[in-house]
Every structure is written in C-alpha cells, then in structure tokens.
Amino acid sequence: MRLPIRKISLPALCIAISAITWSIQAAESQAGNLFPHLTILENCTLAPIWVRKMKKKEAEDIAMHYLTRVKIPEQAHKYPGQLSGGQQQRVAVARALVLEPDVLLFDEPLSNLDAKLRRRVREDIRDLQQRLNLTVGYVTHDQEEALALSHRVALMRDGEIVEEGAVSEVFSRPQHPYTRHLLASEPKGEPEPTAADAPVLLSSDRLKVWFPIKRGVLRKTVGHIKAVDGVSVEVRKGETLGVVGES
C-alpha cells in the first residue's frame, strides 16, 4: 500500500499504518481496543476504506450488516464511551468480521457477552470461516466454544502445549493428566441454602439507572437507555445473587 507521505497529517498516517496490518490478519481481543474518538461506524469502516480501498458507502453497508448481526445497529453513530462493556465487545467482533480477512485471531472475543448472544456470534464466526475458508486462531477458556468452532485444539499449561489433536478426540479421550483434570473441573452441584433468618445486607426499592441518549450539535437528550428500571431486590448475608440478561 503506497501512502502520499507529504500530503497526509501525522495522526492520519498513524491510523493508516495501523490499518495496514489488517490486510494480513484481523485480531480481536477481550479489551476490544476501539478508537475512542471515532464513532462505532467509523471504527468499523476505517480499515476497509484505508486498506481495501472501499468506497465509503460500500464500507458502511458492510459494517451495518455485521453490526446488525451482533444486534447493535442503533449504536452506529455513538462513541465507544457511550456503550456498555458488552456492547463494545460486540463492536470489536463486528469490526474484525467486516474485513473478511484471510486470518482471524481471536482472544476470548465473547467473554463479555451473554449466553444467547455468544451462541449467535459463534455461528457468525463459524459461518464466515466456512464460507471464506479462513484460518482461525481462537483462544478461549470455554470448552463449549472450542467444541463449536475448532477442528483441532491445543491445551496449554505453563506456556507449553501438553496435548493437541482433533477436538472430539481430545475431549472424549484425553491423554494428559492436566487435560483430564481440566475437563473434570466443570462446576457441579448447588450452593448450600442460605439460613432463613440471615440478615439482609443489600436492598433496593425501585432502583433506576438510566443513561441519556444525546443527539445533534447541542447534544440534546432525546431518550434513555434503561439499564435498570424500577428494580427492587434483597440480598441476605452469605447469599449470592446471580443477575442474568443480555449484554
């Protein structure tokens, strides 16, 4: 890729050099590493425009397709700081998929997503891999993800591979003691019940947490994201409350 060095600002040059690496591979990590000064749509279209030389409209159409697939098309014109951690994770996955590269490297890309969305994004990754015959490196602690996405699996301990082979073979007939220990470590059973007279340590009465949606030059509030809307709950001493929902 040739850059007109004398006609480009230093910030733009840095962005361009960063984007060049995406022509070889796309990487997605737990942190997401989104550009905070760019909108979600701009984050997703930066590399296609710079590296693939796509027209802006074509890049935006592809980006919106993948943002829709991860269920956040309405966030396209917001900035990363306006999104939750789970939403930022979805953007990072969509951004990696937009380039449809030869190699995809994932570092626990679904760790911040709820179970329903993890399943959907797994299907997207698997579909893309099969459709484009991609090479994929996928780091995960989730056995279900490894089973769903991998042809082969390598289990590591202390920086070394202790066992490697076809997923079905390794998971059904593990040979190394560490592999057997790892596969036997899935949580089982139920927690001990909490005493009926245990004191209440945490309570809320119709708790609300709303985040404003701002639009326009004057950043006028036009609505709210209702993260918590009128929730009343009690948690007793020694009790664990699990909060489950979409990211």
Side-chain angles (χ1 to χ4, degrees):
M1 178 180 181
R2 299 182 63 185
L3 296 173
I5 301 298
R6 296 179 181 177
K7 298 180 181 179
I8 191 169
S9 66
L10 181 58
L13 176 60
C14 292
I15 292 174
I17 291 173
S18 174
I20 289 172
T21 62
W22 288 71
S23 64
I24 302 172
Q25 65 186 30
E28 202 290 296
S29 67
Q30 298 175 47
N33 298 322
L34 302 175
F35 290 109
H37 63 293
L38 299 180
T39 67
I40 299 310
L41 188 59
E42 289 169 340
N43 265 278
C44 291
T45 59
L46 181 67
I49 291 173
W50 277 94
V51 177
R52 294 287 174 84
K53 299 298 185 182
M54 286 185 187
K55 298 294 185 182
K56 182 180 178 181
K57 179 63 167 60
E58 179 186 3
E60 289 180 344
D61 287 345
I62 295 174
M64 288 305 300
H65 167 74
Y66 284 109
L67 288 173
T68 300
R69 290 292 292 178
V70 295
K71 296 178 65 176
I72 50 170
E74 72 284 355
Q75 310 294 345
H77 299 290
K78 294 183 181 179
Y79 291 88
Q82 297 175 282
L83 274 59
S84 69
Q87 289 173 328
Q88 290 183 35
Q89 193 83 334
R90 291 190 238 174
V91 173
V93 172
R95 183 181 62 177
L97 295 175
V98 162
L99 274 177
E100 299 189 346
D102 294 324
V103 179
L104 269 174
L105 304 178
F106 287 107
D107 180 10
E108 296 189 77
L110 313 183
S111 58
N112 290 344
L113 305 184
D114 61 82
K116 179 180 177 182
L117 192 57
R118 277 201 306 270
R119 187 163 53 249
R120 178 172 184 147
V121 177
R122 274 203 307 265
E123 292 172 357
D124 281 344
I125 295 172
R126 184 172 55 210
D127 174 71
L128 189 67
Q129 189 276 330
Q130 293 173 349
R131 181 163 53 87
L132 300 179
N133 195 28
L134 289 173
T135 297
V136 176
Y138 197 99
V139 178
T140 181
H141 296 293
D142 191 315
Q143 296 176 29
E144 184 179 352
E145 284 182 26
L147 280 167
L149 293 169
S150 306
H151 296 97
R152 292 187 302 116
V153 63
L155 284 91
M156 299 186 68
R157 185 182 189 188
D158 297 330
E160 297 181 355
I161 294 177
V162 297
E163 187 163 354
E164 181 180 3
V167 173
S168 57
E169 183 71 20
V170 172
F171 279 13
S172 62
R173 288 182 288 277
Q175 301 300 309
H176 195 278
Y178 175 71
T179 308
R180 293 196 291 269
H181 171 74
L182 191 66
L183 297 179
S185 299
E186 286 292 308
K188 297 179 177 65
E190 299 179 356
E192 292 293 324
T194 305
D197 59 350
V200 175
L201 296 187
L202 176 66
S203 65
S204 70
D205 182 23
R206 298 188 58 77
L207 177 67
K208 293 185 178 182
V209 180
W210 291 13
F211 296 98
I213 301 172
K214 296 181 180 294
R215 298 273 170 80
V217 176
L218 299 179
R219 310 302 295 161
K220 181 180 179 181
T221 299
V222 297
H224 292 84
I225 297 174
K226 300 178 181 180
V228 180
D229 190 20
V231 171
S232 300
V233 67
E234 289 185 347
V235 185
R236 297 181 178 276
K237 181 178 177 60
E239 181 181 34
T240 299
L241 173 67
V243 180
V244 182
E246 294 193 3
S247 301

